């Protein structure tokens, strides 16, 4: 889903700073010392520099996975006032509200502007090759379009205010 959104956003002219957590050796956030980990500090800078963030994560037990939560704990204030969109995948059809707890945390803790559209795909949204079906592709496209539109508008607005 993330790769598809990346291609869609690049087609609109967005500059992408791709972060795949599988490429980073992050510690579990346990205390303030883990936030000083070099990988966490590097990701904090990259997240803070973003105009918009598309978070792609799997759903486990009706919530976003622990890796997504750990990332926000380790990078903390880098999320402050960011535009955030979410694309999530789950095994079943009934976890559509799964991103809401995470979204609420981002809104309340960091005053993020959450794109009011999620791309939610479940096992039945993918073909035998693991590619999203037509409806899934449309949801990812709509999410990419909204993220680009809102992030672009917010950047233009903040530039005018300076």
């Amino acid at each position: 889903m993330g790769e598809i959104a990346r291609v869609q956003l690049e087609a609109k002219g967005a500059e992408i700073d791709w972060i795949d957590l599988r490429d980073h050796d992050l510690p579990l956030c346990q205390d303030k010392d883990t936030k000083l980990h070099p990988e966490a500090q590097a990701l904090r800078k990259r997240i803070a520099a973003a105009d918009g963030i598309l978070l792609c994560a799997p759903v486990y037990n009706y919530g976003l996975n622990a890796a997504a939560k750990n990332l926000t704990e380790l990078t903390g204030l880098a999320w402050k006032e960011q535009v955030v969109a979410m694309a999530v995948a789950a095994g079943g059809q009934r976890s559509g509200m799964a991103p809401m707890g995470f979204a609420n945390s981002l809104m309340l803790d960091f005053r993020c502007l959450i794109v009011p559209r999620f791309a939610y795909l479940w096992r039945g949204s993918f073909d035998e090759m693991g590619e999203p079906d037509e409806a899934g592709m449309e949801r990812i496209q709509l999410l990419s379009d909204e993220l680009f539109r809102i992030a672009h508008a917010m950047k233009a607005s903040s530039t005018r205010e300076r």
Side-chain angles (χ1 to χ4, degrees), residues 106-123:
L106 290 175
M107 287 187 295
L108 295 173
D109 292 343
F110 305 116
R111 303 295 183 247
C112 290
L113 179 74
I114 305 298
V115 173
R117 171 186 299 281
F118 300 143
Y120 178 82
L121 280 69
W122 67 288
R123 184 179 326 131

Side-chain angles (χ1 to χ4, degrees), residues 148-159:
F148 185 84
R149 183 181 68 81
I150 294 170
H152 187 72
M154 294 298 291
K155 182 178 181 180
S157 174
S158 69
T159 302

Side-chain angles (χ1 to χ4, degrees), residues 2-142:
E3 287 282 349
I4 293 165
R6 176 164 78 171
V7 169
Q8 293 170 348
L9 288 163
E10 286 175 339
K12 291 182 155 301
E15 291 181 33
I16 306 297
D17 181 4
W18 181 261
I19 297 172
D20 186 333
L21 291 182
R22 295 175 294 189
D23 299 334
H24 299 275
D25 185 25
L26 292 173
L28 293 177
C29 187
Q30 298 173 349
D31 55 35
K32 67 181 179 180
D33 290 338
T34 57
K35 293 182 181 185
L36 299 175
H37 188 277
E39 291 272 352
Q41 290 181 349
L43 289 176
R44 190 176 305 118
K45 289 176 185 172
R46 291 169 68 185
I47 290 168
D51 293 331
I53 297 168
L54 174 59
L55 180 69
C56 299
V59 172
Y60 294 116
N61 198 25
Y62 301 99
L64 292 194
N65 75 335
K69 294 175 185 178
N70 190 56
L71 175 66
T72 59
E73 292 297 326
L74 288 171
T75 55
L77 292 175
W79 293 84
K80 186 176 181 205
E81 298 178 2
Q82 290 286 5
V83 176
V84 179
M86 289 186 247
V88 299
Q93 291 178 292
R94 307 218 189 277
S95 297
M97 299 294 284
M100 290 309 300
F102 195 84
N104 285 337
S105 175
L106 290 175
M107 287 187 295
L108 295 173
D109 292 343
F110 305 116
R111 303 295 183 247
C112 290
L113 179 74
I114 305 298
V115 173
R117 171 186 299 281
F118 300 143
Y120 178 82
L121 280 69
W122 67 288
R123 184 179 326 131
S125 304
F126 298 92
D127 65 21
E128 58 279 346
M129 300 299 293
E131 297 296 321
D133 62 16
E134 186 177 329
M137 290 293 284
E138 183 178 344
R139 287 194 292 276
I140 297 168
Q141 182 69 61
L142 290 170

